[in-house]
């Protein structure tokens, strides 16, 4: 009998030590890998100690490996922020909580509601012979207060271990970033089918702290639950607004942001391993990522656009040559070559040709007079005439005046009996001499002649020609 007891004790001790060794392991999780700025790689990870508390001083104890190759230069930044937190308030309503104990628990919960932070939501769970969700998770405490007021003692037994396990499982379904358990009980447990280590293991696996407030002369196993899950254990006499505010405060998430340069820019698939050494314990986590594939720029991809652009350039060049070599007759609208001075279709003079002079005269055999035409360049154009000279736009004239206001055959100057006379040849805009319109009149030295918009000065003296 003594030998059997010794063997049983040894088995229990080995089991307990093995569980403690497993429970004391560090926890390291790589949340994300961002290789978008490759070869720069960014990691985000979280680390917890054996009690589920975030590790905040790991900057000097991290080692990064990529495909087994150590990374020498690593930039680590510890970032923290408050996150949305769900708190499961679990109240013992078994027969052992009858009277003041239950009233004290309810008053503590009401105080928690008055200290609520905007990032915190509550759920109310009661347990006795069984566990029951009185009110689901909510950020609005008005309805949950009404549910709290309906709590009464029920049942004869307390399934504390089973209820705690159920409460943790319920909390895992919440759409929040962090979770807590606030347990109010006298610590008694009767007829639970699970052991306390089942609930503790589940809580540690998901980093859920269990805060316990024991209402009664002894704490039972509540202190052990809180200690092994990183929570706090308080006697009801130690509870005040300050301690409650700490228990229900939103969780602070500590995120390690790691940035390094990948030593290998060719391998497509990469294995990143992070090793953590903390307090004589070790943790390791790894994940894969793929090098982002950037599209290769090739000139062959753009050959259709290059051909199209070349065709457009050739057509544009041909069009430009054609435009330079031809133009449109202002009278009939037909195409004319640029070196044509007269339209072969309607006889219109090419007034837009830059290479032709605006004013031109055929040299007479014997110059007897001259016509002076002031130009815009503050110069005077001198045209010599003989005994007979016709004036107009047509190249057939002796004096060619390429101006739209001048008719093709506008006027004629004839010397007869020693006197020059000017005649209008039926022009559209008429002939003016010294400001008066005339069809025929004599011309004297320095007379002012106007044909359309063109003004000329008649001179018979050729001393300066």
């Amino acid at each position: 009998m003594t030998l059997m007891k010794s063997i049983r004790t040894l088995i229990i001790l080995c089991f307990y030590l093995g569980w403690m060794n497993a429970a004391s392991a560090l926890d390291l999780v790589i949340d994300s890998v961002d290789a978008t700025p490759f070869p720069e790689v960014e990691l985000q990870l979280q680390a917890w100690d054996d009690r589920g508390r975030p590790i905040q001083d790991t900057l000097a104890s991290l080692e990064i490996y990529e495909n087994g190759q150590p990374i020498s230069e690593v930039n680590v930044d510890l970032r923290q922020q408050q996150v949305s937190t769900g708190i499961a308030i679990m109240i013992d309503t078994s027969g052992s909580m009858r009277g003041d104990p239950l009233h004290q628990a309810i008053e503590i919960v009401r105080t928690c509601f008055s200290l609520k932070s905007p990032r915190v939501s509550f759920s109310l769970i009661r347990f006795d012979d069984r566990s029951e969700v009185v009110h689901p998770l909510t950020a609005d405490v008005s309805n949950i207060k009404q549910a709290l007021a309906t709590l009464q003692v029920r049942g004869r037994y307390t399934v504390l271990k089973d209820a705690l396990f159920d409460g943790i499982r319920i909390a895992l379904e919440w759409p929040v970033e962090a979770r807590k358990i606030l347990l109010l009980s006298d610590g008694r447990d009767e007829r639970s089918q699970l052991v306390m280590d089942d609930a503790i293991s589940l809580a540690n696996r998901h980093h859920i702290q269990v805060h316990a407030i024991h209402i009664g002369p002894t704490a039972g196993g509540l202190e052990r639950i809180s200690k092994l899950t990183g929570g706090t254990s308080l006697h009801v006499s130690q509870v005040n607004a300050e301690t409650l505010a700490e228990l229900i405060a939103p969780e602070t998430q500590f995120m390690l942001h790691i940035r390094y340069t990948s030593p290998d820019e060719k391998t497509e698939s990469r294995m990143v391993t992070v090793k953590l050494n903390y307090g004589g314990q070790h943790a390791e986590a790894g994940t894969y990522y793929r090098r982002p594939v950037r599209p290769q720029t090739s000139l062959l991809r753009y050959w259709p656009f290059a051909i199209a652009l070349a065709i457009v350039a050739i057509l544009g060049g041909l069009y430009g040559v054609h435009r330079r070599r031809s133009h449109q007759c202002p009278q009939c609208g037909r195409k004319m070559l640029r070196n044509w001075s007269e339209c072969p279709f309607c006889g219109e003079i090419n007034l837009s040709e830059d290479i032709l002079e605006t004013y031109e005269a055929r040299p007479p055999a014997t110059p007897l007079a001259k016509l002076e035409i002031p130009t815009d360049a503050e110069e005077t154009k001198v045209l010599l005439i003989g005994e007979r000279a016709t004036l107009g736009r047509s190249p057939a004239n002796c004096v060619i005046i390429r101006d739209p206001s001048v008719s093709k055959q506008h006027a004629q100057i004839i010397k007869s009996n020693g006197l020059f006379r000017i005649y209008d040849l039926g022009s559209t805009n008429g002939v003016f001499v010294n400001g008066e319109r005339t069809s025929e009149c004599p011309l004297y030295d320095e007379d002012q002649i106007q044909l359309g918009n063109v003004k000329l000065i008649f001179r018979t003296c050729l001393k300066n020609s």
Side-chain angles (χ1 to χ4, degrees):
M1 183 65 67
T2 303
L3 180 60
M4 293 298 295
K5 289 184 179 180
S6 300
I7 294 175
R8 185 183 302 171
T9 303
L10 182 60
I11 293 174
I12 295 174
L13 180 60
C14 291
F15 176 81
Y16 179 78
L17 291 177
W19 176 86
M20 286 297 294
N21 185 53
S24 63
L26 303 179
D27 194 3
L28 183 64
V29 175
I30 299 177
D31 286 337
S32 64
V33 180
D34 183 11
T36 304
F38 192 83
E40 298 293 324
V41 181
E42 298 180 359
L43 303 176
Q44 286 194 352
L45 56 90
Q46 298 183 74
W48 295 268
D49 62 11
D50 56 343
R51 296 177 60 184
R53 296 173 301 187
I55 298 176
Q56 308 173 34
D57 54 351
T58 58
L59 303 187
S61 58
L62 281 173
E63 298 176 10
I64 311 296
Y65 297 84
E66 186 173 283
N67 289 342
Q69 183 177 351
I71 308 298
S72 57
E73 296 184 6
V74 178
N75 296 322
V76 183
D77 181 23
L78 180 63
R79 302 176 181 179
Q80 62 183 44
Q81 62 175 353
Q82 287 189 337
V83 296
S84 59
T85 305
I87 301 178
I89 299 179
M90 303 187 64
I91 300 180
D92 185 352
T93 57
S94 63
S96 60
M97 290 286 290
R98 190 183 306 275
D100 290 341
L102 181 59
H103 293 314
Q104 289 176 330
I106 292 175
E107 288 302 320
I108 290 174
V109 175
R110 286 176 178 159
T111 305
C112 291
F113 292 159
S114 65
L115 300 173
K116 176 186 173 300
S117 170
R119 286 185 173 271
V120 173
S121 301
F122 291 108
S123 174
L124 184 60
I125 301 174
R126 65 181 297 173
F127 64 93
D128 34 67
D129 291 340
R130 54 188 173 83
S131 59
E132 176 188 356
V133 177
V134 180
H135 200 284
L137 186 71
T138 179
D140 184 7
V141 297
S142 58
N143 292 332
I144 201 170
K145 283 181 179 179
Q146 297 178 3
L148 179 65
T150 63
L151 291 184
Q152 295 180 356
V153 171
R154 183 188 66 181
R156 296 178 55 190
Y157 305 105
T158 309
V159 288
L160 174 61
K161 301 167 187 175
D162 294 354
L164 180 58
F165 188 88
D166 293 340
I168 295 172
R169 286 197 309 173
I170 292 170
L172 292 176
E173 299 176 359
W174 295 339
V176 292
E177 298 173 274
R179 299 158 183 83
K180 294 181 181 181
I181 303 293
L182 180 58
L183 183 62
L184 297 98
S185 174
D186 58 4
R188 294 185 182 182
D189 180 85
E190 301 160 315
R191 298 194 178 184
S192 286
Q193 297 181 1
L194 301 176
V195 296
M196 189 58 70
D197 293 340
D198 294 330
I200 294 174
S201 177
L202 182 63
N204 286 333
R205 194 180 312 140
H206 298 282
H207 312 293
I208 298 177
Q209 295 179 345
V210 179
H211 302 294
I213 298 177
H214 48 92
I215 304 173
T218 60
L222 299 181
E223 289 183 348
R224 180 171 176 268
I225 297 172
S226 298
K227 184 175 182 180
L228 293 180
T229 59
T232 303
S233 177
L234 297 174
H235 187 265
V236 66
S237 60
Q238 299 173 301
V239 175
N240 53 47
E242 183 177 352
T243 56
L244 284 178
E246 294 179 2
L247 296 183
I248 66 171
E251 282 289 297
T252 300
Q253 185 181 71
F254 293 90
M255 187 73 68
L256 289 172
H257 184 82
I258 300 173
R259 186 182 182 95
Y260 69 91
T261 302
S262 175
D264 180 10
E265 298 187 13
K266 297 182 179 180
T267 307
E268 183 176 355
S269 181
R270 316 296 178 93
M271 173 65 181
V272 179
T273 304
V274 181
K275 294 182 179 181
L276 170 66
N277 301 315
Y278 180 74
Q281 299 177 352
H282 308 279
E284 182 175 322
T287 186
Y288 283 92
Y289 79 92
R290 287 185 174 272
R291 172 178 58 85
V293 179
R294 295 184 173 88
Q296 298 295 327
T297 302
S298 175
L299 295 178
L300 295 178
R301 297 176 55 192
Y302 303 104
W303 69 265
F305 303 101
I307 293 177
L309 184 61
I311 294 174
V312 171
I314 292 173
L315 294 178
L318 294 176
Y319 179 74
V321 171
H322 176 72
R323 290 277 295 177
R324 287 196 297 271
R325 294 186 58 188
S326 66
H327 67 284
Q328 196 174 41
C329 175
Q331 184 68 22
C332 66
R334 299 191 181 184
K335 294 289 183 181
M336 296 175 56
L337 294 179
R338 299 294 288 182
N339 58 355
W340 288 0
S341 61
E342 184 175 357
C343 178
F345 305 102
C346 66
E348 178 72 10
I349 302 301
N350 178 14
L351 302 177
S352 61
E353 180 55 53
D354 296 336
I355 65 173
L356 297 178
E357 295 285 346
T358 305
Y359 310 105
E360 186 177 352
R362 294 179 181 177
T366 303
L368 300 177
K370 64 180 179 179
L371 298 172
E372 296 180 353
I373 305 175
T375 63
D376 294 338
E378 297 182 355
E379 297 178 355
T380 301
K381 182 73 175 181
V382 178
L383 305 175
L384 301 178
I385 62 175
E387 290 185 351
R388 182 183 296 270
T390 56
L391 296 83
R393 290 199 331 268
S394 173
N397 293 298
C398 298
V399 177
I400 304 170
I401 303 175
R402 296 184 177 91
D403 188 280
S405 65
V406 177
S407 299
K408 296 178 183 179
Q409 302 289 334
H410 200 109
Q412 186 176 24
I413 298 176
I414 301 176
K415 184 178 181 182
S416 177
N417 299 324
L419 183 66
F420 283 94
R421 300 185 70 86
I422 187 168
Y423 300 89
D424 188 345
L425 300 180
S427 65
T428 302
N429 294 323
V431 176
F432 294 80
V433 177
N434 297 324
E436 296 183 2
R437 185 166 183 167
T438 180
S439 60
E440 176 190 350
C441 72
L443 291 176
Y444 299 99
D445 194 31
E446 297 186 359
D447 275 352
Q448 306 287 328
I449 302 173
Q450 182 172 347
L451 307 179
N453 296 329
V454 179
K455 295 181 180 181
L456 308 92
I457 300 175
F458 177 78
R459 296 187 190 276
T460 58
C461 179
L462 302 178
K463 295 178 181 180
N464 298 327
S465 36

